[in-house]
Structures are given as structure tokens and as C-alpha cells.
């Protein structure tokens, strides 16, 4: 099961957006022309740091957990996700999608769950998956 961007795309997103914004801010704040190349150097350093942090915490990862019964597993998962503030928003093609309902959904991302006969695959942002692995088990 493949969901969302991997590490390379996530890194590029955070690197590029931070580098462009930081170069502009440095240029305006210090009154230095972009043609000098100095704002781009600050942007590249800031973009590198943001890219590494963004890729570490926000890349999409997944894990598979063995299950004994689908209904029992889904009930436990639903209650766990509800406690975390998530609710199911769709169930298409055997893939359940969960999302937070408040403004925090913009910062937490979605959780995708695919339940098969004897295993379930859960995918989301890396930081969310780390929490879920401890709760649901690996």
C-alpha cells in the first residue's frame, strides 16, 4: 500500500518553500539585493534544515500489524483514534481514511487503514505512525 509523498518529495517541499521564503525575507530585512547571492545562501541553509526536519517528521510511512479479528481490531482502532481526535471520513475500496475534525487537521494529516484477512496496514505521517505503533502494536 503506497500513500502520500515519500521522503524525497517531502524533503524537496520543505527545502524549496523555506529556501524561497527565507531568501526573500533576508533580502528585504537586510536590504541586500538578490543578485549578490547572499540571501540565497541563507535560504539554502535554512531550507536544508527545514527539509531534514520536515522529511523526518512529516514523510508518509506505513506499518503492518497482524490481527486476529477484523471487527475487534477496528473497534479498538476506532476508539484509539477517537481519543486522539480522529474520525472516519471515508471507506473507499477497502481503505478507511481518518482525519481530525477541527482546525488541527491541517497540521496532523490523515491516517489510512487497509484491513485484510489477517493483517492491517496503517499509513500516515511519520510522527503519527510512531505514536500509533506504540498504541496498536507492531
Amino acid at each position: 500500500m503506497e500513500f502520500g509523498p515519500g521522503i524525497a518529495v517531502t524533503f524537496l517541499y520543505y527545502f524549496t518553500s523555506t529556501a524561497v521564503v527565507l531568501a526573500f525575507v533576508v533580502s528585504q530585512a537586510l536590504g541586500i539585493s538578490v543578485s549578490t547571492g547572499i540571501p540565497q545562501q541563507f535560504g539554502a541553509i535554512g531550507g536544508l534544515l527545514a527539509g531534514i526536519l520536515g522529511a523526518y517528521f512529516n514523510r508518509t510511512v506505513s506499518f503492518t500489524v497482524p490481527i486476529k479479528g477484523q471487527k475487534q481490531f477496528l473497534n479498538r482502532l476506532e476508539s484509539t483514534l477517537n481519543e486522539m481526535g480522529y474520525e472516519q471520513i471515508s471507506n473507499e475500496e477497502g481503505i478507511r481514511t481518518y482525519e481530525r475534525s477541527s482546525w488541527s487537521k491541517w497540521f496532523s494529516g490523515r491516517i489510512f487503514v487497509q484491513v485484510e484477512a489477517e493483517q492491517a496496514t496503517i499509513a500516515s505521517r511519520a510522527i503519527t505512525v510512531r505514536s500509533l505503533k506504540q498504541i496498536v502494536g507492531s
Side-chain angles (χ1 to χ4, degrees):
M1 174 167 82
E2 191 71 34
F3 290 106
I7 193 166
V9 174
T10 304
F11 174 83
L12 285 174
Y13 170 78
Y14 283 97
F15 173 81
T16 305
S17 57
T18 303
V20 168
V21 169
L22 194 55
F24 176 76
V25 169
V26 167
S27 172
Q28 296 300 307
L30 300 179
I32 301 172
S33 173
V34 178
S35 63
T36 64
I38 294 172
Q40 291 90 325
Q41 291 175 0
F42 280 100
I45 292 169
L48 183 62
L49 293 173
I52 290 169
L53 289 173
Y56 180 75
F57 290 110
N58 293 329
R59 73 185 183 282
T60 302
V61 296
S62 64
F63 74 100
T64 302
V65 59
I67 60 173
K68 294 180 183 174
Q70 288 185 7
K71 193 167 188 169
Q72 179 184 4
F73 171 78
L74 286 172
N75 286 339
R76 195 171 105 223
L77 180 68
E78 291 266 340
S79 66
T80 300
L81 292 178
N82 285 337
E83 288 174 14
M84 294 173 68
Y86 287 88
E87 60 185 38
Q88 185 175 343
I89 60 170
S90 73
N91 185 6
E92 298 175 13
E93 301 176 17
I95 299 171
R96 296 171 182 259
T97 305
Y98 298 86
E99 181 178 75
R100 286 191 170 155
S101 58
S102 64
W103 61 270
S104 62
K105 71 180 173 185
W106 300 104
F107 301 104
S108 59
R110 294 180 175 176
I111 298 173
F112 302 95
V113 180
Q114 182 178 31
V115 180
E116 296 169 343
E118 297 189 15
Q119 68 180 15
T121 304
I122 301 172
S124 186
R125 290 183 175 182
I127 195 162
T128 306
V129 167
R130 285 185 201 107
S131 301
L132 284 173
K133 272 186 178 180
Q134 292 175 351
I135 296 169
V136 176
S138 54

